[in-house]
Amino acid sequence: MTGKRRNDYAAGGWVLLVVGLSLLLGQFFPNNGWQILALLGVGFLAAGALIRKVGLLIPGGILSGIALGVYLVDPVRSSVPEATAGGVFLMAFAAGWFMITLLSPLAGGWVWWPLIPGSILGFIGWAVYEERLEWLERLSWVWPLILVGLGAWVLLRPKNPQDKG
């Protein structure tokens, strides 16, 4: 069996193990959803780092960010005002996306694209937390222009002679 194929089997085994343990623990702790999400997130992150698969870091970062957000805004243990809880949750969720990029070298290569959704979620979360919703309204006019500019750049940039197609 080749090393790549063995790693694929190991990744599948880790995923089944983590999901199964999380579901089993959920039976014993039914009102602690954030803990189950955290266990799933950490499990995926650990599997991605051990097996060196960036693809496993993605659900790991997302689930870990959601777990942190749920924990931080839980009304039982948190003093976050209800009006700003959505912002706190979004910033924690953004942290999970940033975690993917930070841990990606452990899985074999630098991955920068999670910084894009992480930055967007973080900015929206900050605006909601600071109650600066007018910034989001202004941004709704700016981001389409940014997309148009990027699209024009992609279409009009000089072609690399080595590119095919």
Side-chain angles (χ1 to χ4, degrees):
M1 183 181 320
T2 66
K4 180 178 177 354
R5 188 166 172 93
R6 183 180 172 116
N7 281 349
D8 289 344
Y9 281 120
W14 273 103
V15 169
L16 291 172
L17 182 74
V18 168
V19 170
L21 282 172
S22 298
L23 293 172
L24 183 63
L25 288 173
Q27 300 297 319
F28 295 106
F29 307 103
N31 296 323
N32 291 315
W34 73 270
Q35 292 172 336
I36 304 303
L37 290 170
L39 179 63
L40 282 167
V42 169
F44 277 109
L45 291 171
L50 289 171
I51 300 167
R52 298 184 57 82
K53 290 224 177 242
V54 173
L56 292 173
L57 296 180
I58 297 167
I62 291 170
L63 290 169
S64 297
I66 292 172
L68 178 61
V70 170
Y71 175 80
L72 291 174
V73 300
D74 183 0
V76 173
R77 70 177 66 78
S78 173
S79 61
V80 174
E82 190 175 331
T84 60
V88 170
F89 178 84
L90 285 174
M91 288 187 286
F93 188 31
W97 285 93
F98 293 140
M99 190 182 321
I100 297 167
T101 296
L102 290 174
L103 296 178
S104 65
L106 296 176
W110 183 258
V111 179
W112 65 268
W113 66 263
L115 298 175
I116 296 170
S119 297
I120 293 168
L121 290 166
F123 177 77
I124 294 171
W126 173 82
V128 170
Y129 181 78
E130 292 291 326
E131 298 180 11
R132 296 181 184 239
L133 301 180
E134 71 278 0
W135 286 39
L136 297 178
E137 186 176 337
R138 287 185 201 135
L139 189 64
S140 72
W141 288 94
V142 173
W143 77 267
L145 296 174
I146 293 170
L147 292 177
V148 168
L150 284 172
W153 176 77
V154 167
L155 293 172
L156 299 174
R157 70 187 163 109
K159 302 287 187 239
N160 185 347
Q162 296 177 350
D163 286 345
K164 301 204 187 266

